[in-house]
């Protein structure tokens, strides 16, 4: 079976084509292309501008994906799209595009939960069997484990997502959004060496990042105003923007490692799967690996092709659902900004 998937819940528009062999076996990725709306430095991406970008690019990306995959419309079994969660206007643009393709080609529609798409693609690529999942992105922060055909949420962000925290600090520093603000924060953090004191806010299995962001913004303002050179009280070294990025990363990632380890202990798992855009961060993978190694476990993660929002994860999760008989009728082919991971019945797993 072959599915085409459309993803556009935020600033990345992705189209993917995937093949599930008839007798089982690994899925075959036939095409996985993406185009990103990049806003100017110091700015975020507005829903209306992002939706306009998606509408402008979706047709050419679909044509390009079919060419790369070497498949014809008649070969496609279903059209999968991101139903939610995400930003309203971009989601609407993708949902309308998916409806158009479904009607034009005479194919079934399959609405997909964005979070489940990340998880299933991560499992497929890495081979992780039944891991604790850390899902970290610009819009979501969740610690998840599977039980009884649901992805159960053990802990999550109480306010803003960790990726949003990093992205907004990139705006504070007025650094480029190309290729991604979080990536540029990571590169600056690699050159930092002074760890500054920031709020560490873990509440049970949940985290809070808004207070950390407010605190680091205050430190950034102090750094900008202090023309004589702000020095660390312990080392006496001059504090830099790289130190601020380093301190922010170390603090928020330590919080994520803590709640993930607690979930591993609770469910008795020795595997961690990191998914979502922030999952590309090498320092997060390293810190999680140190924790998992101490527990005799292992960490699974993918590169930017699959961590960052993409169409192939929507095609894969949608085709898994389609093979169980699930479809989305046209009158229900809506989108929603709020669509929790644990709302989805995972019929394809025992």
């Amino acid at each position: 079976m072959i599915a085409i998937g459309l993803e556009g819940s935020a600033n990345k528009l992705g189209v993917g084509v995937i093949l599930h062999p008839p007798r089982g076996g690994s899925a075959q990725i036939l095409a996985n292309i993406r185009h990103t709306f990049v806003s100017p430095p110091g700015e975020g991406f507005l829903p209306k501008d992002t939706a306009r970008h998606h509408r402008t690019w979706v047709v050419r990306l679909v044509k390009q994906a079919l060419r790369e995959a070497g498949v014809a419309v008649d070969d496609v079994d279903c059209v999968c799209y991101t139903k939610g969660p995400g930003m309203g206007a971009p989601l609407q643009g993708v949902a309308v595009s998916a409806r158009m393709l479904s009607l034009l080609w005479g194919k079934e529609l399959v609405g997909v939960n964005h979070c489940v798409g990340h998880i299933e693609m991560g499992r497929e690529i890495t081979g992780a069997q039944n891991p604790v999942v850390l899902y970290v992105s610009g819009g979501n922060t969740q610690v998840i484990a599977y039980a009884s055909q649901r992805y159960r949420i053990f802990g999550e962000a109480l306010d803003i997502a960790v990726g949003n925290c990093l992205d907004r600090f990139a705006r504070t520093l007025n650094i480029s959004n190309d290729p991604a603000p979080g990536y540029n924060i990571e590169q600056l953090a690699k050159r930092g060496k002074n760890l500054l004191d920031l709020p560490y806010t873990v509440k049970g299995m949940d985290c809070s990042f808004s207070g950390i962001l407010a605190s680091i913004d205050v430190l950034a303002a102090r750094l900008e105003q202090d023309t004589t050179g702000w020095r660390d009280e312990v080392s006496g070294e001059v504090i830099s923007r790289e130190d601020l990025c380093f301190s922010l990363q170390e603090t928020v990632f330590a919080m994520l490692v803590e709640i993930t380890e607690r979930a591993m202990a609770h469910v008795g798992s020795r595997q961690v799967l990191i998914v979502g855009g922030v999952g590309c961060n090498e320092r997060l993978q390293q810190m999680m690996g140190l924790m998992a190694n101490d527990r005799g476990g292992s960490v699974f993660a993918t590169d930017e092709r699959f961590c960052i929002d993409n169409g192939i994860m929507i095609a894969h999760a949608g085709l898994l659902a389609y093979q169980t008989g699930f479809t989305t009728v046209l009158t229900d082919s809506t989108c929603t900004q709020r669509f929790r991971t644990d709302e989805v019945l995972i019929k394809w797993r025992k």
Side-chain angles (χ1 to χ4, degrees):
M1 283 187 159
I2 295 176
I4 186 168
L6 278 65
E7 154 59 24
S9 58
N11 68 324
K12 294 167 182 65
L13 176 65
V15 178
V17 181
I18 199 163
L19 166 68
H20 286 185
R23 294 179 179 82
S26 299
Q28 298 177 24
I29 298 169
L30 305 181
N32 183 25
I33 58 178
R34 179 170 53 217
H35 196 274
T36 303
F37 172 67
V38 179
S39 54
E43 298 181 15
F45 47 90
L46 296 175
K48 63 177 183 178
D49 297 332
T50 309
R52 187 182 303 115
H53 165 269
H54 291 1
R55 292 194 300 268
T56 301
W57 281 90
V58 66
V59 172
R60 69 185 82 178
L61 259 61
V62 168
K63 290 180 177 179
Q64 182 183 344
L66 290 175
R67 282 197 305 271
E68 287 189 11
V71 300
V73 170
D74 290 343
D75 300 322
V76 176
D77 292 284
C78 60
V79 177
C80 311
Y81 76 98
T82 303
K83 186 177 181 68
M87 301 172 69
L91 281 172
Q92 278 189 327
V94 169
V96 169
S97 301
R99 283 184 220 130
M100 178 267 294
L101 294 177
S102 173
L103 292 171
L104 186 64
W105 295 348
K107 306 295 181 180
E108 296 281 8
L109 265 177
V110 181
V112 177
N113 180 286
H114 178 87
C115 313
V116 172
H118 272 297
I119 296 170
E120 292 300 346
M121 199 70 233
R123 290 181 60 239
E124 177 67 25
I125 295 299
T126 64
Q129 296 302 309
N130 191 27
V132 168
V133 179
L134 176 65
Y135 171 36
V136 277
S137 69
N140 298 275
T141 301
Q142 297 175 351
V143 177
I144 300 162
Y146 176 80
S148 303
Q149 296 193 309
R150 301 274 178 177
Y151 284 118
R152 312 288 177 172
I153 300 173
F154 279 70
E156 58 192 321
L158 296 173
D159 38 42
I160 62 174
V162 64
N164 186 244
C165 177
L166 296 170
D167 291 351
R168 286 168 64 176
F169 186 57
R171 280 185 243 165
T172 299
L173 296 183
N174 201 38
I175 63 177
S176 174
N177 290 319
D178 188 19
Y183 173 82
N184 293 327
I185 288 281
E186 179 185 3
Q187 303 316 305
L188 288 171
K190 289 177 180 178
R191 301 195 296 271
K193 52 187 176 181
N194 294 303
L195 182 64
L196 305 176
D197 189 30
L198 291 172
Y200 185 97
T201 316
V202 173
K203 302 181 178 182
M205 283 297 295
D206 299 324
C207 293
S208 172
F209 299 104
S210 58
I212 299 171
L213 177 62
S215 296
I216 198 75
D217 280 348
V218 170
L219 296 181
R222 176 181 174 183
L223 181 64
E224 184 178 354
Q225 294 167 4
D226 196 337
T227 57
T228 61
W230 169 27
R231 294 185 177 274
D232 182 68
E233 295 179 358
V234 177
S235 66
E237 296 186 9
V238 175
I239 301 299
S240 64
R241 299 199 322 167
E242 288 81 357
D243 292 327
L244 296 183
C245 295
F246 171 71
S247 300
L248 179 60
Q249 272 201 175
E250 292 296 302
T251 304
V252 298
F253 291 168
M255 293 163 54
L256 296 174
V257 170
E258 178 185 335
I259 62 174
T260 304
E261 182 175 18
R262 195 174 293 126
M264 290 176 70
H266 182 77
V267 302
S269 174
R270 290 190 174 185
Q271 293 184 338
V272 180
L273 172 63
I274 308 176
V275 299
V278 182
C280 294
N281 191 291
E282 294 176 355
R283 179 55 179 158
L284 174 59
Q285 294 180 15
Q286 181 186 35
M287 292 173 69
M288 196 66 70
L290 291 171
M291 177 275 290
N293 185 63
D294 286 345
R295 299 183 62 85
S298 53
V299 172
F300 297 84
T302 63
D303 58 29
E304 68 279 356
R305 293 173 299 168
F306 307 109
C307 262
I308 298 172
D309 291 351
N310 58 85
I312 200 69
M313 71 182 195
I314 301 302
H316 178 57
L319 194 50
L320 288 173
Y322 181 72
Q323 289 169 325
T324 69
F326 176 82
T327 59
T328 302
V329 297
L330 192 66
T331 52
D332 292 336
S333 60
T334 55
C335 55
T336 174
Q337 291 179 268
R338 292 175 176 83
F339 188 6
R340 288 181 63 81
T341 314
D342 51 9
E343 291 180 34
V344 182
L345 180 64
I346 313 297
K347 289 182 68 175
W348 55 89
R349 291 190 64 180
K350 294 180 181 180

